[in-house]
Every structure is written in C-alpha cells, then in structure tokens.
Amino acid sequence: MQPEILLPVTDPALKAALDQLAKRHRAAGGIGMQVMAFVGGSAENLMSKLPQPVRDGLEGATSRALETAFDAAARTRGAVSDRPDWVNTALTTAMGAAGGVGGLPGALAELPFTVTMLLRAIQGIASEHGFDPASDEVRMECLRVFASAGPLEADDGTDMGFLAAKVTITGPGLNSLIAKVAPRLAAVLGQKLAAQAAPVLGAVAGAAVNYAFTSYYQEIARVHFGLKRLARESGEDEGLLREELVARIAPKPKG
C-alpha cells in the first residue's frame, strides 16, 4: 500500500491559526530564559550542582510523581472547578517559595504537589478547548504535554513528534507513556530542583522557577490542544498540521 501523501495547508485562515500557535509556542520559554539569567549559569551547570544520589534517583521520583498526579489531578475535578491561568500560577509560585525555603529537601518534598497542580491546570485547558478530561484518552494527552523540552531550554518543536505517537489506553499503556515521559521531565525537574536549592536565593528562586514552569506548561498545553481542536474543526489531518506547526517553530537557517 502506498503511503498517504499529505498536501501542504493552503487555507489562509488555517495558516493564520497555525502562525498564532507557533508564536505562542516560541513565547512559552521566554520567562524561563529570564529565570535562568536570574539564577545564573546554564541548564547543564544547574544539573551538575545536584548531589549524585539525587540525580540518580530523579527519574524514579519523577515516575512516581507522574503516577500520583495522574490520579490525583483527575479526582480533584469533581471537587474543585477549573481555575484561570493566573490562579494556577499564583498557587504553584507560592508552593515553589515554600519548597525553596527548605532548600533541596524542601524542593524534593514539594515536587509531587507541583506536578499534580501542573497536570490539573493542563486538564483544565483541555476542557477549555472542548475535550473531556474525564476520558482516559484526554488524560493521556494531558500527560504527554510534559514531554516538551521545558522552560529552561530552547525548544525547536521537534518534541511535538512525540505527542503524535499513539499509546494504547490501558494500564500497561499508561505505564509505557510514563516510562517515556519520565526521563524527559526528570531532566527538566532536575534543573528546577537545582535552581531552588541555589544558595542565598532560596524561596525567591523557588517562586521564580515555579512561576516559569507553570506559565510554560500552560502555554504548551494551549498549543497542543489548540492544534487538536484546529484539526477537529477544520477536518484536516492532525499529523499534517503538526508538521506545519513544527516547521513554523523551528529556527530558520541563517544565510
């Protein structure tokens, strides 16, 4: 069987919508870069500041945090309504400050709560775009948002290919997805922990990092579910729209 040939998007309204999503994606990491300048050093240098045992156990801790958050975030939907972005950001910023006060131990204790808050915010954005966060499929899609590069690194959009992969919606499927997401998120969270544990900065760094993280993942969620809604409403192939979006996000070659 010949592979399906996907033609480029030509509809002006669709192209304009993709341009807006690309602009949002590029802007998502802006605050993170400012935090990096505030904390000092590079993402790689931040990771090197973590004790080796913490670095070794980070992926496992991230997997456990994702598993806990996957259930906890969904359970809260029946008791707490979706909140505006600024409320989510304010809450996680306060949590980051509290974690930063306690240095690295405090940041580690705060980690699963922040991941749950972030996932809960992402579920709210999915609902805002017309998707049902109570469905297993959408809950999995929310989890995939964590596969993006993170707010403290430049993201050329290539991680969006991961978001297109299909995962069976079963217990093993969830474990498989967490196993794929955890290493990516662990690398990002390691930078967060190191920034919060930075000497002197303490609570201020914790608040700034959590502010950047929440702002970033909420924006990435809007890109992800905005693209899915665009595909649904336009009838265009989602894979094609994703390719078009990545092409708009990727830095243009100099010449």
Side-chain angles (χ1 to χ4, degrees):
M1 178 182 295
Q2 293 293 325
E4 181 183 1
I5 298 176
L6 300 177
L7 300 176
V9 171
T10 57
D11 181 80
L14 204 50
K15 292 171 72 173
L18 287 168
D19 288 340
Q20 286 300 312
L21 288 175
K23 181 179 179 181
R24 185 183 284 273
H25 190 285
R26 286 193 298 269
I31 295 175
M33 293 301 104
Q34 295 174 24
V35 170
M36 287 300 296
F38 171 72
V39 174
S42 65
E44 293 77 13
N45 288 340
L46 277 177
M47 286 293 286
S48 69
K49 294 177 181 178
L50 287 176
Q52 191 63 48
V54 174
R55 276 183 277 167
D56 292 342
L58 191 54
E59 187 174 323
T62 302
S63 294
R64 291 189 294 274
L66 287 172
E67 290 168 358
T68 300
F70 189 79
D71 291 325
R75 284 198 303 270
T76 63
R77 293 192 59 80
V80 181
S81 61
D82 294 330
R83 297 175 291 258
D85 286 4
W86 71 268
V87 175
N88 294 321
T89 304
L91 289 172
T92 55
T93 298
M95 290 170 64
V101 167
L104 185 56
L108 283 167
E110 169 250 325
L111 189 62
F113 297 98
T114 293
V115 172
T116 300
M117 285 285 296
L118 291 174
L119 189 54
R120 179 65 174 77
I122 292 167
Q123 289 177 351
I125 290 169
S127 177
E128 180 184 322
H129 283 75
F131 298 94
D132 181 10
S135 76
D136 288 340
E137 182 177 4
V138 174
R139 290 172 71 199
M140 299 276 266
E141 291 292 339
C142 292
L143 194 59
R144 290 170 190 258
V145 172
F146 284 127
S148 55
L152 305 187
E153 292 186 8
D155 186 352
D156 62 3
T158 54
D159 279 342
M160 293 194 69
F162 176 83
L163 297 175
K166 299 296 182 185
V167 177
T168 305
I169 307 169
T170 62
L174 172 62
N175 293 335
S176 173
L177 181 57
I178 287 179
K180 292 177 180 177
V181 171
R184 295 164 176 257
L185 185 59
V188 176
L189 293 179
Q191 299 161 13
K192 165 181 151 56
L193 291 175
Q196 286 180 275
V200 182
L201 297 177
V204 177
V209 170
N210 267 27
Y211 178 84
F213 267 66
T214 309
S215 301
Y216 175 83
Y217 283 113
Q218 287 181 144
E219 288 298 286
I220 293 299
R222 292 187 184 283
V223 173
H224 180 56
F225 288 106
L227 184 73
K228 295 184 75 65
R229 182 172 66 182
L230 194 61
R232 184 178 62 187
E233 293 177 349
S234 68
E236 284 282 1
D237 181 88
E238 185 179 331
L240 168 63
L241 295 183
R242 197 174 298 280
E243 288 180 7
E244 293 262 359
L245 180 57
V246 170
R248 284 165 166 77
I249 294 170
K252 300 294 186 294
K254 297 180 179 179

